[in-house]
Amino acid sequence: MITQIRIHTHTHTHTRQLPSSHIGLLWLLALIELLSFPLLGAGTQTIGGYNILTVEGWLFAVMTFGIVMTLRTIMELWYMKGAYSVEGVLDVMVGGLEEELGERMR
């Protein structure tokens, strides 16, 4: 039973659920969005004056922060040894189960 749990957890923790092509497409989408924002907002200073550039600067900063944090979280989930890896927790759990079984068998 413990061996089956170990095999099950190791096969699932070492399997990437998201192909690398999807990660590449997410980074490409982020790059396109970040490059297009200044280009699309370049003509708005003639309509709203220079104060609108301050607002656009803050919007660009918030958008960049959101995109980078989202992509870093997805990358952390994608890597198997990241902060969101459950392998260490499962190893502790299986070790505790083995210890408890060993004590009960004595």
Side-chain angles (χ1 to χ4, degrees):
M1 178 71 171
I2 297 297
T3 308
Q4 291 174 344
I5 292 173
R6 247 187 222 285
I7 291 170
H8 180 72
T9 57
H10 283 291
T11 56
H12 285 291
T13 55
H14 293 297
T15 305
R16 288 198 171 141
Q17 302 297 321
L18 193 64
S20 58
S21 59
H22 291 182
I23 298 293
L25 288 173
L26 282 172
W27 279 102
L28 180 65
L29 177 66
L31 183 68
I32 289 171
E33 187 174 352
L34 292 176
L35 289 177
S36 67
F37 188 84
L39 295 175
L40 294 174
T44 58
Q45 74 161 358
T46 58
I47 297 170
Y50 285 104
N51 291 333
I52 197 78
L53 293 178
T54 305
V55 174
E56 280 187 8
W58 280 103
L59 288 175
F60 184 72
V62 169
M63 184 179 69
T64 303
F65 176 77
I67 288 172
V68 168
M69 292 307 291
T70 302
L71 286 172
R72 291 305 303 154
T73 302
I74 289 172
M75 293 295 291
E76 192 72 29
L77 289 170
W78 191 58
Y79 288 126
M80 292 174 275
K81 296 288 185 183
Y84 298 103
S85 176
V86 296
E87 188 172 350
V89 175
L90 290 175
D91 284 341
V92 170
M93 182 186 75
V94 170
L97 287 173
E98 286 177 340
E99 182 181 319
E100 186 177 334
L101 272 174
E103 289 175 8
R104 287 185 182 190
M105 305 259 307
R106 284 187 226 152

